[in-house]
Amino acid sequence: MIPIYLCDDQPTITENLKNQLRKVLLIEELDFQLQPAFHDPEVLLKTIQQAPQNGIYFLDIDFGAGAMDGLRLGQAIREIDPRGFIIYVTTHEELLPATFRYQVEAFDFIVKEDLSQLLDRLREILLAIRQRLAQDQRSERPQFCIETGGMKQFLPLDEIIYFETTPRKHVLAVVLPGRRIEFSGNLTELEAELPEYFLRTHRSFLVNRQHIHSYDRKAKVLRLTGEESCFVARSKVKALGF
Amino acid sequence: MLKIFIELLFMLLTVLTAMLTLTVILHGIEERPVYWQKELRKACIYSLIVTGIGVVLAGVSGTNSESFLELLLIVAGGLYLAKFQRTKTTAEIVLPLTLYTTGSVFFGSLMVDNIQLLFDIHIVELLLVHVSQSSPQFVIALVNFLLFIYLASFRKLPYAGVLLRFDEKLVNVIGGAYLLAVAFFSQSVWPLWQVWGQNNADACVWLTILLMVLVLNRGEALLKIEERQQHQQTEQLLQQQAQYVQHLEELQQELRGIQHDHKNLITAMYLDVKQGNLANIETYMDQHLRQVDVSLEQTIKKQNQLTQIRVPEVKSLLLTKLIRAEELELKVSLEIPQTIHQLPIPLTDFLRLLGILLDNAIEASQESVGKELQLLFWQKEQELHVVVENHFSEAVDQRQIWHPGYSSKGEDRGLGLANLRKIIGNYPHVLTETKIQGDWFTQILRFR
């Protein structure tokens, strides 16, 4: 059962949220467990540290002077629960969606001023989380972690199509469907680290075997998932069975 | 011994002069100011007149017409220089002066039947004559050395750079003094030249003068171009700032209106409170207080974010692009949580990168359904991350995006991204990320 945590320094807000959440859980028969509300970010962090698991978090952004702010709280939660769902409850004024999405992969935002729509928004969000969880069920799968500028990004290994070198020294790129991320690394070290189904087809490519579709004899390249292609050394073609 | 030394000096001067003149001619022609032709015409007329007078006077007094002419030219040149020193720039003084003296010599030589002078400036001939007379190895070594310097100067054109750093007046004084000194020298060491031939020595002098002019002229032209560029940049910055101020004024107007509305509202509510009409108050608050004009709030927020950038050029660029995006009716959001005081890479490259990213994002979202654009500058210690997210409508082949010339819109328009890649290629500490999620296209630059 996935826990739902609330954290806001104003009890009226948490109380209101709790009531509405309870309604949604009942109506939609969702398998989430509402936890008692927190008013201090530190206490919340201590609690989840004791029993780390995937959770859903509704967080305030401004906890008053001297306290940890919502962004730092979100980052701290990410350290403990990298795949939890963080939703910020905030005012229009404080709302910086791109920042929060980029820094803590915030799942969604609820604007405090639009309280009349609160029930609908909560329903929307919780249903979206359920859907995401259902997708992830089959994906209790190994992840590849890259660190780009102090931020960890988790990429499912089986989704990675290939790694390649770039014209710049010590900069590699990882390619997934619809995504290309550069990071610092070394292809040879990576090859040793990764499971065997990652093949070094060429001095500049480390390819996921599951994503190899065919060998293009004319262009002398491997055709991969998502219209991607990569070079292959002549000596490796036979080993691939083409 | 002295004779050889002076001969060598002149030869060195001649070779250097010819080479540098060639460089300047090859590299500097397009930067030559327009008044060049006008001054040439003027100089020709002047020299005709002065030469005419000189020849007549020489004929009357019976002296050697050529040396008399030279003396006359020097005096005239000095006067010319003195006259314009205060008001004109170096090139404007030296260029016509030299054109005038060269022209005088030309017409003068025509008149004194000494046209040979003009054909004696061939360096090869000069060298051959000299090599046959003195130590050939030394001359060859010297020529090689000069060639080396010449080739090295090709890449950097150091003389223009050096001159640019001088104060303009100083250049004027040095240039003028040099010209006069050379002319005087040519007179006072006259007897020593007899071996080599007066014509060759003259050629050296004139070539040196010509070199001075061309070099100064080129430096001046570069200075002018730089000034013009700076001027343009300042003007652009001012224009952008004016736009910014106008923006703020509009905002103030809007705020004043809202303040007015609120006053009325509070008066009405006050009456309602007095009468105990709670239902009315609730409606009022719901309709007016909570939902302050959303677009106004967005605008204020954007302006607030913009003040976080403390690099004026970047702020200007952002503002320009934001205004353009608004004109195209795009929904733009800008987030800059931390103050940005300095940039991780040189300004010009940063501006180019940012310009390309924003132009692409604006263009793509303009053609999309959602028409949304989100910008984020995230700074943490030494790192700066620029995240540009935009709606797009066409299927973009992610891999192709990075190839030169690619754009889903056809030729040339994809060059922006190729340029982006080229610029980033110079910075190993910049990492990129490209992401397509639904109809959102995200481009991230991470400066470590």
Side-chain angles (χ1 to χ4, degrees):
Chain A
M1 236 198 303
I2 291 178
I4 300 180
Y5 299 98
L6 307 177
C7 192
D8 195 315
D9 56 347
Q10 286 169 290
T12 44
I13 304 271
T14 47
E15 208 47 45
N16 188 16
L17 263 177
K18 232 163 127 179
N19 288 335
Q20 306 284 3
L21 275 169
R22 210 170 277 140
K23 273 186 215 163
V24 177
L25 293 181
L26 249 158
I27 298 166
E28 298 294 336
E29 297 181 343
L30 291 166
D31 197 15
F32 303 145
Q33 193 180 31
L34 198 56
Q35 303 289 321
F38 293 87
H39 302 299
D40 183 353
E42 308 280 354
V43 182
L44 170 67
L45 281 179
K46 250 175 227 156
T47 314
I48 60 169
Q49 226 150 15
Q50 277 156 14
Q53 62 168 320
N54 269 10
I56 302 167
Y57 308 84
F58 288 87
L59 308 177
D60 190 13
I61 287 180
D62 185 12
F63 288 98
M68 183 186 264
D69 65 23
L71 191 63
R72 290 233 304 283
L73 175 59
Q75 284 167 332
I77 289 174
R78 274 273 166 268
E79 286 287 309
I80 303 163
D81 179 4
R83 301 176 68 198
F85 299 89
I86 297 176
I87 298 107
Y88 282 98
V89 184
T90 177
T91 58
H92 265 306
E93 183 112 286
E94 297 165 335
L95 186 59
L96 294 174
T99 309
F100 285 90
R101 227 175 307 122
Y102 183 61
Q103 276 300 305
V104 297
E105 288 175 60
F107 188 73
D108 213 331
F109 303 90
I110 294 174
V111 176
K112 276 180 186 170
E113 284 96 329
D114 307 336
L115 281 181
S116 47
Q117 297 158 17
L118 183 61
L119 193 68
D120 287 338
R121 291 285 294 130
L122 287 175
R123 193 170 152 267
E124 239 174 75
I125 291 167
L126 290 183
L127 288 179
I129 291 175
R130 181 170 70 176
Q131 202 184 349
R132 177 76 68 89
L133 283 169
Q135 278 171 7
D136 279 8
Q137 279 307 307
R138 56 181 168 80
S139 65
E140 271 309 321
R141 47 195 179 177
Q143 306 274 326
F144 179 70
C145 175
I146 52 176
E147 211 165 328
T148 44
M151 277 165 46
K152 277 181 190 150
Q153 297 206 56
F154 291 92
L155 311 168
L157 261 186
D158 56 351
E159 270 186 31
I160 294 172
I161 306 174
Y162 63 87
F163 295 89
E164 66 173 338
T165 56
T166 67
R168 285 170 292 156
K169 260 188 189 173
H170 310 302
V171 177
L172 298 180
V174 53
V175 177
L176 294 87
R179 208 163 172 200
R180 181 179 189 275
I181 312 165
E182 285 179 349
F183 63 103
S184 7
N186 175 310
L187 208 58
T188 310
E189 281 170 23
L190 210 62
E191 188 186 2
E193 227 172 82
L194 288 169
E196 273 169 22
Y197 56 87
F198 277 92
L199 302 170
R200 186 76 174 260
T201 61
H202 182 267
R203 121 183 92 81
S204 320
F205 287 94
L206 187 58
V207 184
N208 187 341
R209 188 165 204 157
Q210 298 156 0
H211 288 290
I212 299 178
H213 293 303
S214 62
Y215 173 59
D216 188 331
R217 237 165 251 287
K218 236 186 210 163
K220 295 197 170 78
V221 291
L222 291 174
R223 296 283 172 214
L224 311 171
T225 307
E227 306 210 359
E228 295 280 352
S229 61
C230 77
F231 291 128
V232 55
R234 206 178 305 161
S235 57
K236 301 287 173 73
V237 177
K238 248 191 193 155
L240 284 166
F242 290 117
Chain B
M1 197 55 211
L2 183 68
K3 201 171 79 180
I4 291 172
F5 174 73
I6 288 170
E7 275 182 28
L8 275 177
L9 194 75
F10 271 115
M11 212 184 64
L12 188 143
L13 217 59
T14 315
V15 173
L16 191 70
T17 303
M19 283 172 172
L20 285 179
T21 309
L22 199 68
T23 319
V24 173
I25 288 170
L26 286 177
H27 290 253
I29 280 170
E30 72 278 12
E31 281 141 7
R32 206 79 51 75
V34 194
Y35 60 75
W36 201 81
Q37 291 142 354
K38 234 200 264 170
E39 291 294 339
L40 181 71
R41 216 178 305 135
K42 238 197 272 175
C44 285
I45 297 167
Y46 282 156
S47 24
L48 262 179
I49 296 169
V50 172
T51 320
I53 297 171
V55 170
V56 169
L57 282 177
V60 168
S61 63
T63 42
N64 180 326
S65 60
E66 212 178 319
S67 44
F68 185 76
L69 191 71
E70 244 176 89
L71 199 72
L72 200 73
L73 290 179
I74 292 160
V75 174
L79 287 176
Y80 192 93
L81 203 69
K83 190 184 160 200
F84 288 107
Q85 173 103 32
R86 284 196 190 156
T87 49
K88 296 212 169 180
T89 58
T90 323
E92 280 166 323
I93 299 164
V94 182
L95 181 72
L97 175 69
T98 318
L99 287 174
Y100 152 81
T101 44
T102 333
S104 296
V105 170
F106 180 72
F107 290 112
S109 58
L110 270 184
M111 286 183 187
V112 298
D113 201 22
N114 194 9
I115 200 153
Q116 187 65 32
L117 174 80
L118 284 167
F119 301 99
D120 276 350
I121 54 178
H122 292 295
I123 315 147
V124 184
E125 195 189 321
L126 215 74
L127 266 176
L128 285 177
V129 168
H130 198 86
V131 165
S132 61
Q133 283 171 1
S134 67
S135 154
Q137 288 91 346
F138 179 70
V139 174
I140 289 165
L142 192 74
V143 170
N144 278 345
F145 177 64
L146 288 176
L147 261 174
F148 172 74
I149 293 177
Y150 168 63
L151 287 174
S153 76
F154 242 122
R155 288 198 60 170
K156 286 180 182 167
L157 294 172
Y159 46 87
V162 168
L163 282 171
L164 279 176
R165 251 177 268 131
F166 279 126
D167 165 90
E168 200 176 285
K169 239 181 202 161
L170 191 68
V171 177
N172 275 349
V173 172
I174 293 175
Y178 179 73
L179 280 177
L180 289 177
V182 167
F184 176 73
F185 190 56
S186 72
Q187 287 291 309
S188 57
V189 291
W190 182 274
L192 288 171
W193 288 12
Q194 297 303 329
V195 183
W196 207 21
Q198 185 208 342
N199 293 343
N200 286 342
D202 271 354
C204 285
V205 174
W206 299 126
L207 271 176
T208 315
I209 293 173
L210 191 68
L211 164 81
M212 277 302 294
V213 170
L214 288 171
V215 167
L216 288 176
N217 190 23
R218 186 182 152 77
E220 211 77 50
L222 285 178
L223 199 70
K224 276 201 175 145
I225 287 166
E226 208 167 88
E227 257 172 28
R228 208 185 309 141
Q229 274 172 354
Q230 245 166 21
H231 185 70
Q232 268 170 1
Q233 265 173 8
T234 322
E235 210 160 77
Q236 209 176 8
L237 206 69
L238 276 176
Q239 220 170 21
Q240 283 165 354
Q241 268 163 1
Q243 254 176 337
Y244 185 56
V245 170
Q246 198 193 341
H247 238 66
L248 289 178
E249 275 171 1
E250 279 168 16
L251 211 69
Q252 201 190 2
Q253 288 291 335
E254 232 171 302
L255 276 173
R256 204 174 288 157
I258 281 174
Q259 190 204 15
H260 183 77
D261 287 352
H262 273 207
K263 248 187 202 161
N264 284 345
L265 197 71
I266 285 168
T267 319
M269 274 169 52
Y270 179 70
L271 290 176
D272 278 331
V273 168
K274 260 200 162 173
Q275 289 166 8
N277 204 340
L278 280 176
N280 261 2
I281 295 173
E282 209 180 319
T283 342
Y284 267 138
M285 287 185 67
D286 226 34
Q287 281 176 353
H288 298 284
L289 278 184
R290 278 215 201 119
Q291 291 157 8
V292 190
D293 191 345
V294 177
S295 79
L296 175 70
E297 206 178 68
Q298 290 290 328
T299 318
I300 294 176
K301 214 160 110 176
K302 234 175 282 165
Q303 300 290 4
N304 280 345
Q305 297 296 315
L306 216 50
T307 57
Q308 295 274 53
I309 291 193
R310 301 288 158 85
V311 186
E313 291 88 347
V314 177
K315 194 194 284 199
S316 284
L317 178 71
L318 266 179
L319 190 74
T320 322
K321 299 292 179 196
L322 284 182
I323 290 171
R324 209 184 114 213
E326 259 158 39
E327 280 167 3
L328 294 169
E329 293 176 352
L330 305 178
K331 269 194 274 172
V332 188
S333 85
L334 173 66
E335 294 178 24
I336 309 166
Q338 298 91 356
T339 314
I340 293 166
H341 291 283
Q342 51 184 337
L343 300 173
I345 63 169
L347 177 70
T348 41
D349 275 350
F350 189 82
L351 289 179
R352 280 170 73 199
L353 287 178
L354 194 61
I356 292 168
L357 281 182
L358 291 177
D359 283 345
N360 284 345
I362 289 173
E363 194 179 314
S365 54
Q366 189 190 340
E367 288 154 4
S368 71
V369 187
K371 288 184 183 295
E372 254 194 280
L373 187 65
Q374 293 194 339
L375 262 177
L376 164 65
F377 286 76
W378 172 263
Q379 185 158 45
K380 193 179 178 189
E381 283 134 36
Q382 295 303 309
E383 290 186 13
L384 176 68
H385 297 191
V386 179
V387 184
V388 182
E389 293 176 282
N390 63 270
H391 270 138
F392 74 100
S393 56
E394 296 158 89
V396 183
D397 181 350
Q398 177 197 214
R399 210 179 144 67
Q400 289 292 316
I401 281 171
W402 288 98
H403 289 282
Y406 173 82
S407 165
S408 40
K409 287 303 291 177
E411 275 176 40
D412 284 348
R413 296 174 75 174
L415 283 174
L417 280 166
N419 280 340
L420 187 98
R421 193 177 201 182
K422 212 162 145 193
I423 300 168
I424 290 172
N426 297 329
Y427 303 101
H429 59 289
V430 183
L431 298 177
T432 67
E433 177 173 343
T434 317
K435 197 158 62 175
I436 297 168
Q437 229 166 17
D439 56 352
W440 280 100
F441 180 75
T442 309
Q443 184 77 59
I444 305 173
L445 292 186
R446 299 188 171 97
F447 301 89
R448 292 176 292 164

